[in-house]
Amino acid sequence: MVASTAHGRIRPLIDQQRLAQRVEALAAEMAARLPRDLTMLVLLKGAFVFAADLLRALAHHGFTPRVEFLRLASYGHGTRSRGRVEVIGGVPESLADRRVLVVDDIQDTGRTLARVLELLRGAGVRQVWTCALLDKPSRREVEVPLDFRGFEVPDVFVVGYGIDFAERWRELPWIGHLETEDTHPC
Ligand code: IMP
Ligand code: MG
């Protein structure tokens, strides 16, 4: 299952079955804690595959969430955050007075979620919960509590299941660690 690429190799980290099981378990945790009148706010692009599976897993628990999207960028084409989170296209207007579950792919430095929470306060959201499929706590610079998280991962650069390196590898159905020279600290 190791994929060879022009950039190096992608070593499997989380296989399809573990992803599917964890998404179902997260939906069960959410069903126990979240209100039924929920809006999922999906952070693009990285969270779109996870969010699609999570949405359908929530439906098994009787949820019929609204879905909104917010596009952000912090990486450019590198493997280290540039430390500046750019909002592309603005915050959906329909979030005012809603109960919102923010769905992200990875919590890394924490800057993205911190920025999103600030934007949501400005948008008049009634209640917010945060969820990230992956959590890299060793990289945290800004503490933002995660209400739900899929897996803790070490400080490696991951791709697959919607997550990219320079816009590639989102299509992989599993998550792997991209081994390139610049993903290893010098
Ligand atoms: P943060 O703002 O540093 O918490 O970074 C959050 C965003 O950086 C994530 O939503 C991802 O889009 C991206 N990111 C962080 N780590 C990785 C990785 O290992 N692979 C691909 N993207 C990543
Ligand atoms: Mg992201």
Side-chain angles (χ1 to χ4, degrees):
M1 207 168 68
V2 178
S4 281
T5 80
H7 300 286
R9 291 192 313 169
I10 302 172
R11 253 179 211 288
L13 204 60
I14 307 171
D15 68 26
Q16 259 179 286
Q17 193 186 1
R18 279 181 73 208
L19 282 169
Q21 284 168 350
R22 191 68 193 109
V23 171
E24 288 295 335
L26 275 175
E29 284 176 38
M30 289 170 178
R33 289 176 51 195
L34 299 183
R36 290 299 189 267
D37 63 332
L38 192 68
T39 299
M40 277 176 61
L41 178 66
V42 182
L43 304 190
L44 296 176
K45 300 177 188 171
F48 80 104
V49 174
F50 168 47
D53 284 344
L54 183 62
L55 178 69
R56 289 172 290 186
L58 281 169
H60 300 155
H61 295 271
F63 278 71
T64 56
R66 290 164 184 268
V67 183
E68 296 288 352
F69 298 96
L70 179 59
R71 184 156 170 211
L72 300 150
S74 60
Y75 265 66
H77 281 194
T79 60
R80 289 284 159 186
S81 168
R82 291 187 305 238
R84 184 173 52 85
V85 181
E86 198 185 333
V87 179
I88 302 164
V91 181
E93 282 172 21
S94 55
L95 293 179
D97 220 30
R98 298 239 178 260
R99 301 174 202 271
V100 176
L101 172 68
V102 178
V103 180
D104 201 4
D105 54 355
I106 308 176
Q107 197 186 25
D108 186 33
T109 65
R111 287 180 194 280
T112 300
L113 276 179
R115 183 77 204 282
V116 169
L117 293 185
E118 191 182 285
L119 290 168
L120 293 187
R121 271 193 295 273
V125 163
R126 190 191 303 180
Q127 229 177 332
V128 182
W129 294 264
T130 55
C131 167
L133 176 65
L134 306 179
D135 185 15
K136 286 186 194 171
S138 59
R139 299 251 309 143
R140 201 75 85 247
E141 291 171 19
V142 186
E143 267 322 313
V144 180
L146 275 182
D147 296 297
F148 304 94
R149 75 168 176 184
F151 301 91
E152 184 174 318
V153 291
D155 182 12
V156 293
F157 198 83
V158 298
V159 293
Y161 198 61
I163 301 166
D164 75 310
F165 169 63
E167 295 303 330
R168 296 216 53 197
W169 315 117
R170 296 191 199 273
E171 72 283 1
L172 293 178
W174 41 272
I175 289 179
H177 160 206
L178 180 64
E179 295 180 324
T180 68
E181 280 167 23
D182 66 348
T183 59
H184 293 289
C186 316

